[in-house]
Amino acid sequence: MERLGAGIERELARSGSPEAVPLARITAAWPSSVGPAIARHAWPLRLARDGTLHVATASATWANELTLLADDVLTRLREAVGDDAPAKLRCAAGPIPEPPPAPGEPPPGPLDVPADVASTASSVASAIDDPELRALVARAARASLGRRASDRHF
């Protein structure tokens, strides 16, 4: 029996996305390769055909810092992913995912928002007569307004 991963890799390569599998390996190895501080402020976005790994950073300062550390980062990625390692890094400020919670801290709920945001969301949905639809709209508004108030955009 063939493993599912091999079939997925074959289909991605056949459909014109040969960079998808190496990028997935790089992304999986990223936090342990660069350390928690960098992983909170920088994240791999895409792998170009020439082997350049494009990395989004929380700010231009982080992009500059990571550019200065590029040789060390590339060495650690080569150790972690072997042949799938990128040839070079290109860093720019851009959207990065929400960092994981600190050890021992419970993960935030998907709709944990400040009370004023929750109140605004409930107010927006209050004109809807159907209770199920009203609850869904209020939940969507909380998520949207909460995301807008966040400094993360991913």
mmCIF file with all atom_site columns, all heavy atoms in Angstrom, residues 57-75:
data_model
loop_
_atom_site.group_PDB
_atom_site.id
_atom_site.type_symbol
_atom_site.label_atom_id
_atom_site.label_alt_id
_atom_site.label_comp_id
_atom_site.label_asym_id
_atom_site.label_entity_id
_atom_site.label_seq_id
_atom_site.pdbx_PDB_ins_code
_atom_site.Cartn_x
_atom_site.Cartn_y
_atom_site.Cartn_z
_atom_site.occupancy
_atom_site.B_iso_or_equiv
_atom_site.pdbx_formal_charge
_atom_site.auth_seq_id
_atom_site.auth_comp_id
_atom_site.auth_asym_id
_atom_site.auth_atom_id
_atom_site.pdbx_PDB_model_num
ATOM 1   N N   . THR A 1 57 ? 8.041  39.238 7.571  1.00 0.00 ? 57 THR A N   1
ATOM 2   C CA  . THR A 1 57 ? 8.478  39.621 8.912  1.00 0.00 ? 57 THR A CA  1
ATOM 3   C C   . THR A 1 57 ? 7.506  40.632 9.513  1.00 0.00 ? 57 THR A C   1
ATOM 4   O O   . THR A 1 57 ? 6.770  41.302 8.790  1.00 0.00 ? 57 THR A O   1
ATOM 5   C CB  . THR A 1 57 ? 9.898  40.226 8.889  1.00 0.00 ? 57 THR A CB  1
ATOM 6   O OG1 . THR A 1 57 ? 9.881  41.396 8.066  1.00 0.00 ? 57 THR A OG1 1
ATOM 7   C CG2 . THR A 1 57 ? 10.925 39.233 8.356  1.00 0.00 ? 57 THR A CG2 1
ATOM 8   N N   . ALA A 1 58 ? 7.535  40.734 10.832 1.00 0.00 ? 58 ALA A N   1
ATOM 9   C CA  . ALA A 1 58 ? 6.618  41.631 11.537 1.00 0.00 ? 58 ALA A CA  1
ATOM 10  C C   . ALA A 1 58 ? 6.913  43.102 11.260 1.00 0.00 ? 58 ALA A C   1
ATOM 11  O O   . ALA A 1 58 ? 6.034  43.947 11.416 1.00 0.00 ? 58 ALA A O   1
ATOM 12  C CB  . ALA A 1 58 ? 6.678  41.360 13.040 1.00 0.00 ? 58 ALA A CB  1
ATOM 13  N N   . SER A 1 59 ? 8.127  43.420 10.849 1.00 0.00 ? 59 SER A N   1
ATOM 14  C CA  . SER A 1 59 ? 8.485  44.809 10.574 1.00 0.00 ? 59 SER A CA  1
ATOM 15  C C   . SER A 1 59 ? 9.724  44.844 9.676  1.00 0.00 ? 59 SER A C   1
ATOM 16  O O   . SER A 1 59 ? 10.391 43.828 9.478  1.00 0.00 ? 59 SER A O   1
ATOM 17  C CB  . SER A 1 59 ? 8.792  45.551 11.882 1.00 0.00 ? 59 SER A CB  1
ATOM 18  O OG  . SER A 1 59 ? 9.972  45.014 12.468 1.00 0.00 ? 59 SER A OG  1
ATOM 19  N N   . ALA A 1 60 ? 10.031 46.029 9.175  1.00 0.00 ? 60 ALA A N   1
ATOM 20  C CA  . ALA A 1 60 ? 11.234 46.201 8.367  1.00 0.00 ? 60 ALA A CA  1
ATOM 21  C C   . ALA A 1 60 ? 12.491 45.942 9.201  1.00 0.00 ? 60 ALA A C   1
ATOM 22  O O   . ALA A 1 60 ? 13.494 45.443 8.685  1.00 0.00 ? 60 ALA A O   1
ATOM 23  C CB  . ALA A 1 60 ? 11.268 47.608 7.769  1.00 0.00 ? 60 ALA A CB  1
ATOM 24  N N   . THR A 1 61 ? 12.417 46.244 10.470 1.00 0.00 ? 61 THR A N   1
ATOM 25  C CA  . THR A 1 61 ? 13.555 45.994 11.356 1.00 0.00 ? 61 THR A CA  1
ATOM 26  C C   . THR A 1 61 ? 13.840 44.505 11.437 1.00 0.00 ? 61 THR A C   1
ATOM 27  O O   . THR A 1 61 ? 14.996 44.074 11.367 1.00 0.00 ? 61 THR A O   1
ATOM 28  C CB  . THR A 1 61 ? 13.273 46.565 12.764 1.00 0.00 ? 61 THR A CB  1
ATOM 29  O OG1 . THR A 1 61 ? 12.998 47.960 12.636 1.00 0.00 ? 61 THR A OG1 1
ATOM 30  C CG2 . THR A 1 61 ? 14.435 46.344 13.691 1.00 0.00 ? 61 THR A CG2 1
ATOM 31  N N   . TRP A 1 62 ? 12.776 43.699 11.595 1.00 0.00 ? 62 TRP A N   1
ATOM 32  C CA  . TRP A 1 62 ? 12.963 42.245 11.626 1.00 0.00 ? 62 TRP A CA  1
ATOM 33  C C   . TRP A 1 62 ? 13.469 41.735 10.279 1.00 0.00 ? 62 TRP A C   1
ATOM 34  O O   . TRP A 1 62 ? 14.279 40.807 10.222 1.00 0.00 ? 62 TRP A O   1
ATOM 35  C CB  . TRP A 1 62 ? 11.671 41.537 12.020 1.00 0.00 ? 62 TRP A CB  1
ATOM 36  C CG  . TRP A 1 62 ? 11.548 41.413 13.506 1.00 0.00 ? 62 TRP A CG  1
ATOM 37  C CD1 . TRP A 1 62 ? 10.776 42.172 14.326 1.00 0.00 ? 62 TRP A CD1 1
ATOM 38  C CD2 . TRP A 1 62 ? 12.229 40.483 14.347 1.00 0.00 ? 62 TRP A CD2 1
ATOM 39  N NE1 . TRP A 1 62 ? 10.941 41.767 15.631 1.00 0.00 ? 62 TRP A NE1 1
ATOM 40  C CE2 . TRP A 1 62 ? 11.827 40.730 15.664 1.00 0.00 ? 62 TRP A CE2 1
ATOM 41  C CE3 . TRP A 1 62 ? 13.141 39.465 14.114 1.00 0.00 ? 62 TRP A CE3 1
ATOM 42  C CZ2 . TRP A 1 62 ? 12.306 39.999 16.748 1.00 0.00 ? 62 TRP A CZ2 1
ATOM 43  C CZ3 . TRP A 1 62 ? 13.615 38.731 15.186 1.00 0.00 ? 62 TRP A CZ3 1
ATOM 44  C CH2 . TRP A 1 62 ? 13.202 39.005 16.492 1.00 0.00 ? 62 TRP A CH2 1
ATOM 45  N N   . ALA A 1 63 ? 13.017 42.313 9.177  1.00 0.00 ? 63 ALA A N   1
ATOM 46  C CA  . ALA A 1 63 ? 13.496 41.903 7.854  1.00 0.00 ? 63 ALA A CA  1
ATOM 47  C C   . ALA A 1 63 ? 14.992 42.163 7.738  1.00 0.00 ? 63 ALA A C   1
ATOM 48  O O   . ALA A 1 63 ? 15.751 41.310 7.255  1.00 0.00 ? 63 ALA A O   1
ATOM 49  C CB  . ALA A 1 63 ? 12.737 42.654 6.764  1.00 0.00 ? 63 ALA A CB  1
ATOM 50  N N   . ASN A 1 64 ? 15.427 43.318 8.186  1.00 0.00 ? 64 ASN A N   1
ATOM 51  C CA  . ASN A 1 64 ? 16.848 43.654 8.147  1.00 0.00 ? 64 ASN A CA  1
ATOM 52  C C   . ASN A 1 64 ? 17.649 42.706 9.036  1.00 0.00 ? 64 ASN A C   1
ATOM 53  O O   . ASN A 1 64 ? 18.702 42.198 8.631  1.00 0.00 ? 64 ASN A O   1
ATOM 54  C CB  . ASN A 1 64 ? 17.052 45.107 8.583  1.00 0.00 ? 64 ASN A CB  1
ATOM 55  C CG  . ASN A 1 64 ? 18.485 45.537 8.454  1.00 0.00 ? 64 ASN A CG  1
ATOM 56  O OD1 . ASN A 1 64 ? 19.089 45.371 7.394  1.00 0.00 ? 64 ASN A OD1 1
ATOM 57  N ND2 . ASN A 1 64 ? 19.055 46.082 9.518  1.00 0.00 ? 64 ASN A ND2 1
ATOM 58  N N   . GLU A 1 65 ? 17.164 42.460 10.249 1.00 0.00 ? 65 GLU A N   1
ATOM 59  C CA  . GLU A 1 65 ? 17.868 41.578 11.187 1.00 0.00 ? 65 GLU A CA  1
ATOM 60  C C   . GLU A 1 65 ? 17.988 40.167 10.612 1.00 0.00 ? 65 GLU A C   1
ATOM 61  O O   . GLU A 1 65 ? 19.045 39.544 10.677 1.00 0.00 ? 65 GLU A O   1
ATOM 62  C CB  . GLU A 1 65 ? 17.119 41.544 12.527 1.00 0.00 ? 65 GLU A CB  1
ATOM 63  C CG  . GLU A 1 65 ? 17.826 40.790 13.611 1.00 0.00 ? 65 GLU A CG  1
ATOM 64  C CD  . GLU A 1 65 ? 19.113 41.460 14.079 1.00 0.00 ? 65 GLU A CD  1
ATOM 65  O OE1 . GLU A 1 65 ? 19.259 42.684 13.948 1.00 0.00 ? 65 GLU A OE1 1
ATOM 66  O OE2 . GLU A 1 65 ? 19.988 40.727 14.584 1.00 0.00 ? 65 GLU A OE2 1
ATOM 67  N N   . LEU A 1 66 ? 16.909 39.661 10.049 1.00 0.00 ? 66 LEU A N   1
ATOM 68  C CA  . LEU A 1 66 ? 16.930 38.312 9.495  1.00 0.00 ? 66 LEU A CA  1
ATOM 69  C C   . LEU A 1 66 ? 17.829 38.236 8.258  1.00 0.00 ? 66 LEU A C   1
ATOM 70  O O   . LEU A 1 66 ? 18.489 37.219 8.031  1.00 0.00 ? 66 LEU A O   1
ATOM 71  C CB  . LEU A 1 66 ? 15.508 37.862 9.160  1.00 0.00 ? 66 LEU A CB  1
ATOM 72  C CG  . LEU A 1 66 ? 15.295 36.370 9.010  1.00 0.00 ? 66 LEU A CG  1
ATOM 73  C CD1 . LEU A 1 66 ? 15.743 35.608 10.246 1.00 0.00 ? 66 LEU A CD1 1
ATOM 74  C CD2 . LEU A 1 66 ? 13.834 36.073 8.746  1.00 0.00 ? 66 LEU A CD2 1
ATOM 75  N N   . THR A 1 67 ? 17.881 39.298 7.490  1.00 0.00 ? 67 THR A N   1
ATOM 76  C CA  . THR A 1 67 ? 18.784 39.340 6.339  1.00 0.00 ? 67 THR A CA  1
ATOM 77  C C   . THR A 1 67 ? 20.227 39.225 6.806  1.00 0.00 ? 67 THR A C   1
ATOM 78  O O   . THR A 1 67 ? 21.043 38.527 6.198  1.00 0.00 ? 67 THR A O   1
ATOM 79  C CB  . THR A 1 67 ? 18.567 40.627 5.525  1.00 0.00 ? 67 THR A CB  1
ATOM 80  O OG1 . THR A 1 67 ? 17.215 40.636 5.049  1.00 0.00 ? 67 THR A OG1 1
ATOM 81  C CG2 . THR A 1 67 ? 19.516 40.722 4.348  1.00 0.00 ? 67 THR A CG2 1
ATOM 82  N N   . LEU A 1 68 ? 20.543 39.888 7.912  1.00 0.00 ? 68 LEU A N   1
ATOM 83  C CA  . LEU A 1 68 ? 21.895 39.793 8.468  1.00 0.00 ? 68 LEU A CA  1
ATOM 84  C C   . LEU A 1 68 ? 22.205 38.391 8.988  1.00 0.00 ? 68 LEU A C   1
ATOM 85  O O   . LEU A 1 68 ? 23.358 37.963 8.989  1.00 0.00 ? 68 LEU A O   1
ATOM 86  C CB  . LEU A 1 68 ? 22.077 40.823 9.589  1.00 0.00 ? 68 LEU A CB  1
ATOM 87  C CG  . LEU A 1 68 ? 22.024 42.289 9.167  1.00 0.00 ? 68 LEU A CG  1
ATOM 88  C CD1 . LEU A 1 68 ? 22.036 43.201 10.381 1.00 0.00 ? 68 LEU A CD1 1
ATOM 89  C CD2 . LEU A 1 68 ? 23.169 42.621 8.226  1.00 0.00 ? 68 LEU A CD2 1
ATOM 90  N N   . LEU A 1 69 ? 21.190 37.664 9.422  1.00 0.00 ? 69 LEU A N   1
ATOM 91  C CA  . LEU A 1 69 ? 21.364 36.304 9.958  1.00 0.00 ? 69 LEU A CA  1
ATOM 92  C C   . LEU A 1 69 ? 21.131 35.226 8.896  1.00 0.00 ? 69 LEU A C   1
ATOM 93  O O   . LEU A 1 69 ? 21.086 34.037 9.218  1.00 0.00 ? 69 LEU A O   1
ATOM 94  C CB  . LEU A 1 69 ? 20.384 36.077 11.110 1.00 0.00 ? 69 LEU A CB  1
ATOM 95  C CG  . LEU A 1 69 ? 20.556 36.952 12.345 1.00 0.00 ? 69 LEU A CG  1
ATOM 96  C CD1 . LEU A 1 69 ? 19.393 36.761 13.299 1.00 0.00 ? 69 LEU A CD1 1
ATOM 97  C CD2 . LEU A 1 69 ? 21.871 36.624 13.031 1.00 0.00 ? 69 LEU A CD2 1
ATOM 98  N N   . ALA A 1 70 ? 20.986 35.612 7.646  1.00 0.00 ? 70 ALA A N   1
ATOM 99  C CA  . ALA A 1 70 ? 20.583 34.682 6.583  1.00 0.00 ? 70 ALA A CA  1
ATOM 100 C C   . ALA A 1 70 ? 21.504 33.469 6.481  1.00 0.00 ? 70 ALA A C   1
ATOM 101 O O   . ALA A 1 70 ? 21.020 32.342 6.335  1.00 0.00 ? 70 ALA A O   1
ATOM 102 C CB  . ALA A 1 70 ? 20.508 35.411 5.245  1.00 0.00 ? 70 ALA A CB  1
ATOM 103 N N   . ASP A 1 71 ? 22.811 33.661 6.554  1.00 0.00 ? 71 ASP A N   1
ATOM 104 C CA  . ASP A 1 71 ? 23.726 32.527 6.418  1.00 0.00 ? 71 ASP A CA  1
ATOM 105 C C   . ASP A 1 71 ? 23.492 31.494 7.520  1.00 0.00 ? 71 ASP A C   1
ATOM 106 O O   . ASP A 1 71 ? 23.467 30.290 7.254  1.00 0.00 ? 71 ASP A O   1
ATOM 107 C CB  . ASP A 1 71 ? 25.184 32.989 6.428  1.00 0.00 ? 71 ASP A CB  1
ATOM 108 C CG  . ASP A 1 71 ? 25.555 33.752 5.163  1.00 0.00 ? 71 ASP A CG  1
ATOM 109 O OD1 . ASP A 1 71 ? 24.868 33.576 4.131  1.00 0.00 ? 71 ASP A OD1 1
ATOM 110 O OD2 . ASP A 1 71 ? 26.532 34.514 5.212  1.00 0.00 ? 71 ASP A OD2 1
ATOM 111 N N   . ASP A 1 72 ? 23.313 31.964 8.758  1.00 0.00 ? 72 ASP A N   1
ATOM 112 C CA  . ASP A 1 72 ? 23.054 31.045 9.867  1.00 0.00 ? 72 ASP A CA  1
ATOM 113 C C   . ASP A 1 72 ? 21.712 30.335 9.695  1.00 0.00 ? 72 ASP A C   1
ATOM 114 O O   . ASP A 1 72 ? 21.595 29.134 9.937  1.00 0.00 ? 72 ASP A O   1
ATOM 115 C CB  . ASP A 1 72 ? 23.064 31.787 11.212 1.00 0.00 ? 72 ASP A CB  1
ATOM 116 C CG  . ASP A 1 72 ? 24.444 32.286 11.582 1.00 0.00 ? 72 ASP A CG  1
ATOM 117 O OD1 . ASP A 1 72 ? 25.438 31.713 11.097 1.00 0.00 ? 72 ASP A OD1 1
ATOM 118 O OD2 . ASP A 1 72 ? 24.523 33.252 12.368 1.00 0.00 ? 72 ASP A OD2 1
ATOM 119 N N   . VAL A 1 73 ? 20.694 31.072 9.291  1.00 0.00 ? 73 VAL A N   1
ATOM 120 C CA  . VAL A 1 73 ? 19.365 30.488 9.097  1.00 0.00 ? 73 VAL A CA  1
ATOM 121 C C   . VAL A 1 73 ? 19.411 29.435 7.995  1.00 0.00 ? 73 VAL A C   1
ATOM 122 O O   . VAL A 1 73 ? 18.867 28.328 8.153  1.00 0.00 ? 73 VAL A O   1
ATOM 123 C CB  . VAL A 1 73 ? 18.320 31.574 8.771  1.00 0.00 ? 73 VAL A CB  1
ATOM 124 C CG1 . VAL A 1 73 ? 17.006 30.971 8.326  1.00 0.00 ? 73 VAL A CG1 1
ATOM 125 C CG2 . VAL A 1 73 ? 18.116 32.478 9.983  1.00 0.00 ? 73 VAL A CG2 1
ATOM 126 N N   . LEU A 1 74 ? 20.072 29.735 6.885  1.00 0.00 ? 74 LEU A N   1
ATOM 127 C CA  . LEU A 1 74 ? 20.171 28.783 5.784  1.00 0.00 ? 74 LEU A CA  1
ATOM 128 C C   . LEU A 1 74 ? 20.923 27.522 6.204  1.00 0.00 ? 74 LEU A C   1
ATOM 129 O O   . LEU A 1 74 ? 20.537 26.407 5.834  1.00 0.00 ? 74 LEU A O   1
ATOM 130 C CB  . LEU A 1 74 ? 20.834 29.430 4.569  1.00 0.00 ? 74 LEU A CB  1
ATOM 131 C CG  . LEU A 1 74 ? 19.994 30.488 3.857  1.00 0.00 ? 74 LEU A CG  1
ATOM 132 C CD1 . LEU A 1 74 ? 20.833 31.232 2.826  1.00 0.00 ? 74 LEU A CD1 1
ATOM 133 C CD2 . LEU A 1 74 ? 18.782 29.855 3.209  1.00 0.00 ? 74 LEU A CD2 1
ATOM 134 N N   . THR A 1 75 ? 21.966 27.677 6.991  1.00 0.00 ? 75 THR A N   1
ATOM 135 C CA  . THR A 1 75 ? 22.716 26.518 7.488  1.00 0.00 ? 75 THR A CA  1
ATOM 136 C C   . THR A 1 75 ? 21.824 25.628 8.341  1.00 0.00 ? 75 THR A C   1
ATOM 137 O O   . THR A 1 75 ? 21.805 24.403 8.174  1.00 0.00 ? 75 THR A O   1
ATOM 138 C CB  . THR A 1 75 ? 23.944 26.975 8.295  1.00 0.00 ? 75 THR A CB  1
ATOM 139 O OG1 . THR A 1 75 ? 24.802 27.729 7.434  1.00 0.00 ? 75 THR A OG1 1
ATOM 140 C CG2 . THR A 1 75 ? 24.701 25.797 8.873  1.00 0.00 ? 75 THR A CG2 1
#
